Amino acid sequence: MPESRHILGAFEGAITALMSDVRRMGTLALQNLHNAAEGLLTRDSDLCNRAIADDEEVDLLEKKIDRQGIQIIMRYSPVARDLRRVISSMKASTAIERISDHAISLAKRARKLNERTAIPETDGIRELFDLAASELEDSVAAFCDGNLEAALRLQTRDAALDNAHAAFTQRVIARLEEDATHVNDYVDLLFITRFLERIGDQSVNIAEDAVYLLTAMDIRHGGELPELGQRIA
Amino acid sequence: MPNTPPTRHILGAYEDAITRLNGQLLRMASLAEQNLANALRGLLERDENLCNRAIADDSDTDELEKAIDQLGHEMIVRYSPVGRDLRRIISSMKVCTALERVSDHAVSLARRARELNQRPPLDEVALLKPVYELAAGQLKQSVDAFLRGDLALALHIVQNDDPLDIAHYELIDRLTARIGVDNARARDYVPLLFCTRMLERIGDQAVNIAEDAIYQLTAQDVRHGGDLPPAPAE
């Protein structure tokens, strides 16, 4: 536990830097997702390539957050909420890195779709992308701002994306059954919708990390939820 | 060994805690491997019960994930570990996240298998077996490398994940081509595409575990194309 005022200040400074890296990582992942999806929806493969190229910065931040987290633990021996802030940041960064990875997978499939004739079903991705992007944005904000209410809403919100994903998948499979000329396109779309659904899942994980940070309650896998406003040291 | 154990008594307690942590990881890994094996057999043998078992048993890995995270937290607070001791605890928490994902993928596979089992059989289901063997082999080796602290094995896994990648892409291409020929059965083939993808993701998680092993042993973060440490001398 930090003892003197001086050490306390240094610890707070280190934690603030860690959190701002998490926030920056979230912003970059969201931008990659945005570029990948717009690259698909506007058939702009340059945007897809930008998403793919920019993923490196997310990777580097993931490593930096882990490195800083370990240093903070060694230097300050934080306990209780201070330790949860460090460990949860490391966990959230793993989830954000996965999300950016899914955005890259999306961009790669989008490039292939862009090389072939446009199919109307692609437009259906817009709804899924909007849901996934807002989950990502809000979960990272809830984590970095310590907003318990927003974090607790994520699980429910993700159900909308799950439903949209299931409906879109059924629609594409039905098209596949009718029309064999665009098999590759439909298969790419099936994978793309799956990536967006996974991004929603990872956003829920980030929100769960936020809840753990704020309340010390591990709500993963259907754990008991805290009361609103419940926060502990 | 902890770098700064204040007393022998605490040292003993620390060693006990590490043993407990390793034991829980081993148990979690065995469960994840078992769930994956059940899901795949459920698919290959069209056995609904095995699919259901893989789905039902996933809650055990979920509970272990929470238990390992909690134990890791407690160890950091109680022993203020540094150096390799700290890396070991943090890496264990990362490995348990990876194993939980593996078990999740096994559940997804089992759910797809249940869909497939309700429909007429497909010859192509058998093509998943070699892909599964590559993924399961990689998983088992990575867990061994982590728990035994085997740097050479961990490096081997990180440098040799191509066969699974290639097998996965070949099968995806083959299934896609099959749908092109027989698109009336698209509903049967699409779940197989996703099963193939799950196996590839499991292989990725195995690579993550191997990377955690390397980090734990050498303090080198080799993720995302970082420099690899030299292999240990024979």
Side-chain angles (χ1 to χ4, degrees):
Chain A
M1 199 52 175
E3 283 152 43
S4 76
R5 190 169 289 269
H6 177 69
I7 292 183
L8 190 64
F11 174 78
E12 280 302 325
I15 282 284
T16 306
L18 193 70
M19 283 282 175
S20 86
D21 280 338
V22 173
R23 199 187 288 273
R24 165 131 188 85
M25 207 177 158
T27 305
L28 286 169
L30 183 63
Q31 192 182 303
N32 290 345
L33 173 59
H34 189 267
N35 285 337
E38 287 303 324
L40 172 70
L41 293 166
T42 65
R43 298 178 69 77
D44 181 346
S45 288
D46 289 342
L47 275 178
C48 298
N49 289 335
R50 194 187 301 170
I52 294 166
D54 287 352
D55 184 47
E56 194 190 354
E57 210 176 327
V58 174
D59 291 345
L60 291 175
L61 274 168
E62 183 193 23
K63 291 168 98 159
K64 183 184 172 198
I65 288 167
D66 275 351
R67 204 166 55 237
Q68 303 288 357
I70 296 228
Q71 277 175 13
I72 292 174
I73 294 173
M74 289 208 279
R75 187 165 302 167
Y76 303 103
S77 301
V79 297
R81 180 162 175 200
D82 287 334
L83 179 59
R84 294 200 305 276
R85 285 156 94 186
V86 180
I87 302 270
S88 297
S89 296
M90 293 163 80
K91 283 193 178 270
S93 94
T94 305
I96 298 172
E97 192 272 333
R98 289 271 142 187
I99 287 172
S100 190
D101 259 8
H102 288 309
I104 299 332
S105 301
L106 196 163
K108 288 180 179 166
R109 296 262 174 193
R111 284 199 307 195
K112 294 204 255 164
L113 279 159
N114 292 346
E115 282 167 16
R116 302 189 290 254
T117 319
I119 50 167
E121 287 75 15
T122 303
D123 292 336
I125 287 293
R126 167 77 66 189
E127 181 199 0
L128 295 152
F129 159 67
D130 286 341
L131 288 167
S134 77
E135 276 191 49
L136 167 60
E137 188 170 13
D138 296 349
S139 66
V140 173
F143 184 90
C144 294
D145 300 337
N147 186 337
L148 181 62
E149 290 77 3
L152 285 170
R153 271 200 300 273
L154 250 287
Q155 275 178 345
T156 323
R157 285 180 52 186
D158 190 45
L161 178 54
D162 285 346
N163 291 336
H165 162 252
F168 185 79
T169 300
Q170 285 312 310
R171 207 152 72 229
V172 173
I173 292 177
R175 286 296 299 139
L176 259 178
E177 287 171 330
E178 293 161 10
D179 173 14
T181 50
H182 295 292
V183 168
N184 289 312
D185 301 299
Y186 292 135
V187 167
D188 284 333
L189 283 183
L190 285 172
F191 276 108
I192 284 174
T193 174
R194 166 87 185 162
F195 298 145
L196 292 168
E197 189 257 339
R198 292 299 298 165
I199 287 175
D201 289 347
Q202 294 285 2
S203 301
V204 171
N205 291 343
I206 296 169
E208 289 169 345
D209 292 331
V211 173
Y212 180 71
L213 188 167
L214 295 166
T215 67
M217 287 176 77
D218 190 341
I219 64 165
R220 292 177 295 182
H221 316 304
E224 192 194 337
L225 297 176
E227 300 289 324
L228 277 186
Q230 177 177 345
R231 278 156 220 257
I232 69 155
Chain B
M1 283 220 309
N3 295 22
T4 52
T7 71
R8 190 168 287 271
H9 174 70
I10 297 233
L11 175 66
Y14 174 83
E15 293 298 338
D16 289 348
I18 279 288
T19 306
R20 202 141 52 92
L21 190 68
N22 282 343
Q24 287 184 342
L25 271 182
L26 180 61
R27 213 164 85 87
M28 194 176 173
S30 311
L31 278 168
E33 284 170 26
Q34 186 66 53
N35 291 346
L36 175 59
N38 284 338
L40 194 93
R41 271 187 57 208
L43 175 67
L44 295 177
E45 298 168 18
R46 294 174 71 79
D47 184 334
E48 175 96 18
N49 290 333
L50 281 174
C51 296
N52 290 342
R53 197 190 299 172
I55 295 166
D57 288 352
D58 182 50
S59 61
D60 293 339
T61 54
D62 291 346
E63 289 310 312
L64 276 166
E65 182 191 22
K66 292 181 174 191
I68 290 167
D69 271 349
Q70 199 182 337
L71 180 57
H73 259 93
E74 284 170 10
M75 289 175 74
I76 292 173
V77 171
R78 181 167 303 172
Y79 304 107
S80 300
V82 296
R84 183 168 166 200
D85 291 319
L86 179 58
R87 293 201 305 275
R88 193 162 175 173
I89 295 169
I90 298 278
S91 301
S92 296
M93 292 163 83
K94 284 186 179 277
V95 169
C96 88
T97 305
L99 289 172
E100 194 272 333
R101 296 264 185 278
V102 167
S103 189
D104 259 7
H105 292 318
V107 168
S108 300
L109 211 153
R111 290 191 197 285
R112 306 272 178 186
R114 285 207 308 192
E115 287 174 45
L116 284 160
N117 291 347
Q118 282 166 13
R119 308 176 65 87
L122 301 171
D123 293 341
E124 285 81 359
V125 166
L127 299 174
L128 261 81
K129 197 170 184 213
V131 184
Y132 159 76
E133 275 160 6
L134 285 168
Q138 221 164 281
L139 176 64
K140 187 165 178 21
Q141 284 188 323
S142 69
V143 171
D144 282 352
F146 186 87
L147 289 174
R148 293 206 313 255
D150 185 337
L151 181 59
L153 183 57
L155 285 167
H156 173 81
I157 294 159
V158 169
Q159 291 169 307
N160 291 281
D161 66 335
D162 287 350
L164 175 59
D165 269 357
I166 293 166
H168 150 254
Y169 278 118
E170 281 178 357
L171 185 51
I172 296 265
D173 286 349
R174 185 157 169 186
L175 291 170
T176 307
R178 188 77 199 104
I179 297 172
V181 178
D182 191 5
N183 65 304
R185 296 196 70 185
R187 207 166 285 276
D188 299 330
Y189 284 106
V190 166
L192 264 195
L193 282 176
F194 285 107
C195 289
T196 309
R197 168 90 187 166
M198 293 306 145
L199 294 173
E200 188 261 344
R201 299 303 299 169
I202 288 169
D204 275 358
Q205 295 292 356
V207 171
N208 290 345
I209 293 170
E211 289 170 344
D212 291 331
I214 295 169
Y215 176 71
Q216 193 224 116
L217 294 166
T218 67
Q220 243 170 288
D221 187 345
V222 301
R223 291 177 296 180
H224 314 306
D227 289 336
L228 294 178
E234 286 297 319

